[in-house]
Amino acid sequence: MARRAALVSAPAPAPAPRRRIGVVLVDALPVVRAGLRLLIEDRPDLEVLAEVGDGEGALDQLARTRRSRVVVLVGLGLSGERDAYWVIRTVRERFPSHAILAMGANAEPAAISRALFLGADGFVDKNLDPVEFLQALRAAARGEMVLAAPPSVALGAVARTLDRRRELEVRLTEREREVLEVAAEGLTARQIADRLGVRERTVTTHLARIYGKLGVGNRLSAIRVAARSGLVSVGATE
Amino acid sequence: MVAGHPVIRGIVRLACEGAGLTVGVEAAGLAEAEAALASADAPFTVCVLDLELPDGDGLRLLGRLGEEGRTVPTLVLSERRDGRTVLEVLRRGAAGYLSKPDGLRRVGWGVRRILAGGAAVEPDLERAAIEELGRTARQAREGARLQGRITRRERDVLALMSEGLTMQQIGRRLQISPRTVETHVRKLYRKLGVRTRVQAVSRAAGLGLLELR
């Protein structure tokens, strides 16, 4: 009853204030997070929902958020087992409607390509002018693909890396990719075996098959192919 | 400089002279350009390439400019404004992309940018290329996800389907019964989210699961 009355007598609803874009900041460096928070909180249409310095924490924060328009900013410098790429992949799986924006400074095309492949909706360079940075953030929230700041030539390089990654996905089995990823950390066959919970013999067999498929003679060359394809990141990305 | 139309060649020549460059080679088509590349004794500083050439697609030349470790910074001119083409041009190593006819005013600017080691892509064309890159990344991800779910046998069936073989023929080739082939096909359709053979093949090719010859 009360409900019906309300329906009848309610005045025409005022235009709903546009929901603000919620931003979750994930970066290893506290100073970067603080700077971004200052920059973002100054804007009426943006709001920092959380800022975290580790992958696990980022996922915890996101699980608590009940917002629809969310942009997750992920600094590629986040390292460790739950690194930036893990965050990107996991957020993409668990929160398919959130926008994910990777950010880095002087990132290699392979790092950008890897972020995009794993689910990022774009990349922004930390060297960007603050106003353009915010524009990139808003564009990502609108569902646009963003690639801000790296020179346009990098666009071609990123595309080429993606092509190579695709080829690698077709040629190698999931297990072989796993072995190669761990091998790229510089581990011995024995250590790889321990990490993946298989026998050393199995790892060497996988490695031999990987070399064959990639047409290389040794582990270093295999790692180089993997790095060029953005399957692994060798060295710092920031 | 490679361009079919004399007016465009004239514009490019003026722009290059404005940037302090002399045009060493003028080619009016693919064949002329190939010949010039083969016989050139001095390396080129920069290349301005019109994609719409009388004897073929300038993209082919771009692929060649990228090969053999010889990367001449190239400014591409084209009527095509779609993201797919722009991204393909950049993928093949071009440093700049201007549209015809609007972008022709900016050839001088483009050449100077490229000479300075920068990039010269019109903003809205760059936008289109970035969107296309996003699509490529999504497709690659989707393909990789399916990759892990499609069995080796299903992949064999898919490859033979793409060659246009009937269920019977596929069965004979793989030495399995037509019934088994049908089961594989049904599972493939479900995994790919399609209803027909043509859809299956085109989707699989789009996702990079299948190489079309």
Side-chain angles (χ1 to χ4, degrees), chain B residues 28-99:
Chain B
L30 274 181
E32 270 182 46
E34 302 257 2
L37 267 179
S39 67
D41 37 27
F44 298 107
T45 319
V46 66
C47 171
V48 180
L49 171 67
D50 189 341
L51 287 194
E52 286 82 32
L53 296 171
D55 56 347
D57 192 340
L59 262 178
R60 279 170 43 203
L61 194 64
L62 197 57
R64 282 224 28 222
L65 284 166
E67 280 168 35
E68 305 150 15
R70 125 149 87 183
T71 39
V72 183
T74 302
L75 177 65
V76 162
L77 311 174
S78 176
E79 282 166 6
R80 284 171 267 176
R81 308 179 54 91
D82 60 292
R84 187 180 286 238
T85 305
V86 181
L87 188 62
E88 185 56 31
V89 162
L90 296 176
R91 189 186 262 135
R92 293 187 187 207
Y97 194 117
L98 299 176
S99 66

Side-chain angles (χ1 to χ4, degrees), chain A residues 30 36 54-55 71 85 89 92 95 99 106 136 155 161 165 176 184 197 216 219:
Chain A
L36 286 171
D54 66 286
V71 179
Y85 301 101
R89 187 200 319 238
R92 181 42 72 237
F95 306 95
N106 311 315
L155 202 55
T161 314
R165 172 68 188 255
E176 287 164 354
V216 298
R219 197 182 301 191

Side-chain angles (χ1 to χ4, degrees), chain A residues 92 116-121 143-147 150-153 155-160 162-163 166 169-170 172 174 177, chain B residues 87 90-95 118-119 121 126-127 129-131 133-134 136-137 139-141 144 147-148 205-209 211:
Chain A
R92 181 42 72 237
L116 297 183
F117 177 81
L118 292 175
D121 300 293
E144 285 172 30
M145 173 78 192
V146 178
L147 200 63
S152 316
V153 259
L155 202 55
V158 172
R160 283 196 298 274
L162 262 176
D163 294 343
R166 233 165 141 157
E169 296 283 337
V170 176
L172 302 186
E174 205 170 333
R177 284 199 304 275
Chain B
L87 188 62
L90 296 176
R91 189 186 262 135
R92 293 187 187 207
V121 184
E126 189 177 62
R127 265 254 48 89
I130 290 172
E131 281 299 328
L133 182 68
T136 311
Q139 276 190 351
R141 179 165 63 248
Q147 189 84 30
L207 294 173
L209 296 172
E211 279 179 42

Side-chain angles (χ1 to χ4, degrees), chain A:
Chain A
M1 282 289 276
R3 204 155 155 211
R4 173 172 297 181
L7 269 178
V8 173
S9 63
R18 223 172 133 60
R19 283 300 293 272
R20 288 196 286 181
I21 299 165
V23 182
V24 174
L25 301 171
V26 189
D27 196 281
L29 303 176
V31 178
V32 172
R33 298 201 301 270
L36 286 171
R37 180 185 273 278
L38 281 176
L39 178 67
I40 291 168
E41 287 197 328
D42 225 20
R43 315 289 146 158
D45 60 329
L46 302 170
E47 179 186 3
V48 175
L49 300 178
E51 64 165 82
V52 274
D54 66 286
E56 204 87 55
L59 267 297
D60 285 349
Q61 288 295 338
L62 282 167
R64 268 184 234 140
T65 305
R66 292 245 163 274
R67 292 283 287 266
S68 52
R69 291 216 301 162
V70 176
V71 179
V72 189
L73 265 177
V74 186
L76 290 181
L78 203 66
S79 55
E81 209 173 315
R82 304 273 193 249
D83 66 357
Y85 301 101
W86 177 86
V87 172
I88 292 170
R89 187 200 319 238
T90 314
V91 173
R92 181 42 72 237
E93 275 169 16
R94 297 199 201 152
F95 306 95
S97 61
H98 288 1
I100 305 171
L101 207 47
M103 57 179 174
N106 311 315
E108 295 280 325
I112 299 175
S113 156
R114 189 177 177 203
L116 297 183
F117 177 81
L118 292 175
D121 300 293
F123 173 87
V124 276
D125 199 296
K126 285 180 181 170
N127 296 311
L128 209 60
D129 168 88
V131 175
E132 288 177 62
F133 192 95
L134 292 173
Q135 277 166 357
L137 205 59
R138 294 185 180 106
R142 283 195 300 271
E144 285 172 30
M145 173 78 192
V146 178
L147 200 63
S152 316
V153 259
L155 202 55
V158 172
R160 283 196 298 274
T161 314
L162 262 176
D163 294 343
R164 283 198 287 266
R165 172 68 188 255
R166 233 165 141 157
E167 228 173 275
L168 214 59
E169 296 283 337
V170 176
R171 278 202 254 165
L172 302 186
T173 66
E174 205 170 333
R175 200 53 169 171
E176 287 164 354
R177 284 199 304 275
E178 260 172 28
V179 170
L180 186 55
E181 265 186 79
V182 181
E185 291 177 27
L187 271 59
T188 63
R190 156 112 254 161
Q191 291 166 321
I192 298 171
D194 284 348
R195 173 82 74 86
L196 298 177
V198 296
R199 289 180 22 226
E200 188 178 342
R201 188 63 198 277
T202 315
V203 171
T204 47
T205 311
H206 278 309
L207 283 173
R209 206 170 293 147
I210 293 168
Y211 300 163
K213 287 184 180 181
L214 299 183
V216 298
N218 56 51
R219 197 182 301 191
L220 211 59
S221 318
I223 293 173
R224 190 154 31 197
V225 174
R228 274 163 46 86
S229 318
L231 177 66
V232 296
S233 307
V234 179
T237 54
E238 292 256 345

